[in-house]
Amino acid sequence: MTDAAKINRFYAILVSLIAVFWACSGTQTLLKPEKPSAPIKGLIPQAIICADNLGSQPLNRPQGLALDNQGNIYIADTGNNRVVRCDIQGNFIKEVGGFGWGEGQFNQPTALTLDYGLNLFVVDSQNKRVSRYDKNLNFISVIQPEPASDFRGLGLLHGIAVNSAGEIFLSDTENDWLVKLNNLSQFESNFGGFTAGLGAVLNPGGIALDQGGKIYVADSGKRRVAVFDPFGNFVDEFGYDVLQQPQSLTVNSAGEVFVADAKKNQVLLFDSQGNLMLEFGRAGKELGQLSKPVDIKLFQDRQVLVLEQDNNRVQVFQLSR
């Protein structure tokens, strides 16, 4: 082979290597993860609702908030031992309850949630049970599983969540653990108790589920959000460096977690990895101010509704990105 031929062959090989390098680089670019959700700019105050008489009387230290797919609002009016239904503008529709332990009565209802069908579940804290209604607040049944050899019965309750399979998760503040009921409303397991190590909860509040079935708990006594897998195994914690009294929380479709902190009078937003994205609010009674926010819900991932216990009202915010 002549010298000229050798040189030409060398350059051909070099060009081929460069082409392969750029091809690989392009492939790596295509495999990069998708961009994260747009950053949060803030919460824009929109309206104060449910602050006047709702039916027979104004709200009295409410603790629980729920929304159906149409935006109707359900409130656990704890001090009045009732549940109130309003439309999305806060106009009164119906109320049920009254103090007692019979069907359709409550002793300090603390939380409520809607399942994927037609059921509204109301945590009746001091009666140590859950009452089930339809969306029009017609009574259906009482859920109060009997004690068993490995289950001493429900204690004083606070939070509730229901998954797509109809399984119910409850936070039991008397026993400092979480209880799982099967889709027949029978006791299945408890988790997060004092033997759970890092997963042990203290005075657990609100419960929320993400689209993958992970369980998020406002662990008020430990000033954090505790995360469990769908089987009750502890997997993560976050917020312990900024939270003071997380009372309730909700998770959007992107896995971002909104927390109502009753002591800080704030709403805090964390990304799906538990990193703080937004810290909003200060004490007060004006639009945009908060006084003991105890529950938080999202409507269509854009509107944020916050229930304020001391202001006895719901405040509506627009999420800005």
Side-chain angles (χ1 to χ4, degrees):
M1 183 180 295
T2 65
D3 290 341
K6 289 179 181 179
I7 292 172
N8 289 336
R9 183 179 181 186
F10 170 78
Y11 279 115
I13 293 173
L14 181 62
V15 169
S16 298
L17 289 172
I18 292 173
V20 169
F21 171 79
W22 283 110
C24 291
S25 299
T27 302
Q28 289 172 350
T29 301
L30 292 174
L31 291 176
K32 285 184 179 180
E34 295 182 2
K35 292 182 179 180
S37 301
I40 301 296
K41 295 180 181 177
L43 291 177
I44 303 172
Q46 300 262 288
I48 292 171
I49 60 176
C50 304
D52 301 318
N53 275 10
L54 294 178
S56 61
Q57 55 200 318
L59 296 175
N60 180 11
R61 299 187 63 76
Q63 292 194 52
L65 181 67
L67 298 173
D68 65 20
N69 293 334
Q70 289 73 47
N72 292 307
I73 300 168
Y74 301 80
I75 301 172
D77 188 5
T78 309
N80 291 320
N81 294 297
R82 64 173 182 161
V83 171
V84 179
R85 183 187 183 203
C86 305
D87 65 20
I88 189 62
Q89 284 81 35
N91 301 308
F92 173 80
I93 298 175
K94 187 177 180 180
E95 64 179 299
V96 294
F99 174 76
W101 46 89
E103 292 183 356
Q105 295 179 313
F106 303 110
N107 187 356
Q108 296 189 28
T110 56
L112 30 70
T113 192
L114 289 135
D115 65 7
Y116 293 84
L118 302 173
N119 297 297
L120 175 74
F121 297 84
V122 182
V123 173
D124 189 2
S125 178
Q126 297 293 316
N127 282 328
K128 302 182 178 182
R129 66 187 186 186
V130 175
S131 291
R132 184 162 64 103
Y133 291 78
D134 66 19
K135 287 187 178 181
N136 295 316
L137 296 186
N138 297 306
F139 176 81
I140 298 176
S141 65
V142 167
I143 298 170
Q144 194 170 31
E146 295 291 330
S149 58
D150 57 345
F151 173 60
R152 56 177 175 261
L154 298 175
L156 301 177
L157 303 173
H158 187 97
I160 185 170
V162 181
N163 66 17
S164 58
E167 298 169 326
I168 301 171
F169 300 87
L170 299 165
S171 58
D172 187 328
T173 59
E174 182 176 349
N175 294 305
D176 286 324
W177 61 24
L178 306 165
V179 177
K180 180 182 180 181
L181 308 181
N182 63 23
N183 56 14
L184 298 176
S185 301
Q186 301 166 336
F187 172 77
E188 182 171 314
S189 63
N190 62 66
F191 56 97
F194 72 94
T195 61
L198 291 176
V201 296
L202 182 63
N203 195 24
I207 304 176
L209 308 176
D210 68 11
Q211 292 185 336
K214 284 194 298 187
I215 305 157
Y216 296 75
V217 181
D219 191 358
S220 179
K222 292 192 173 181
R223 301 180 181 183
R224 65 174 184 172
V225 173
V227 187
F228 300 83
D229 69 17
F231 306 102
N233 300 303
F234 177 73
V235 295
D236 199 7
E237 63 176 0
F238 59 85
Y240 45 81
D241 52 343
V242 291
L243 296 171
Q244 292 184 16
Q245 190 183 339
Q247 193 78 12
S248 188
L249 71 178
T250 192
V251 186
N252 69 9
S253 58
E256 297 166 340
V257 183
F258 296 72
V259 182
D261 191 310
K263 188 173 182 179
K264 295 183 74 171
N265 295 304
Q266 287 186 334
V267 170
L268 296 93
L269 174 58
F270 300 85
D271 67 16
S272 59
Q273 304 303 311
N275 301 305
L276 181 65
M277 301 172 66
L278 175 69
E279 194 171 356
F280 174 88
R282 61 187 178 89
K285 296 182 178 181
E286 303 301 321
L287 181 67
Q289 298 175 340
L290 301 168
S291 185
K292 199 171 184 180
V294 290
D295 207 351
I296 183 168
K297 292 292 184 291
L298 303 178
F299 183 59
Q300 297 179 343
D301 272 3
R302 295 191 301 272
Q303 282 190 320
V304 182
L305 279 74
V306 180
L307 179 67
E308 300 175 64
Q309 187 177 89
D310 284 355
N311 280 334
N312 293 306
R313 68 188 188 185
V314 175
Q315 195 164 174
V316 183
F317 299 87
Q318 185 77 19
L319 184 63
S320 174
R321 291 186 185 273

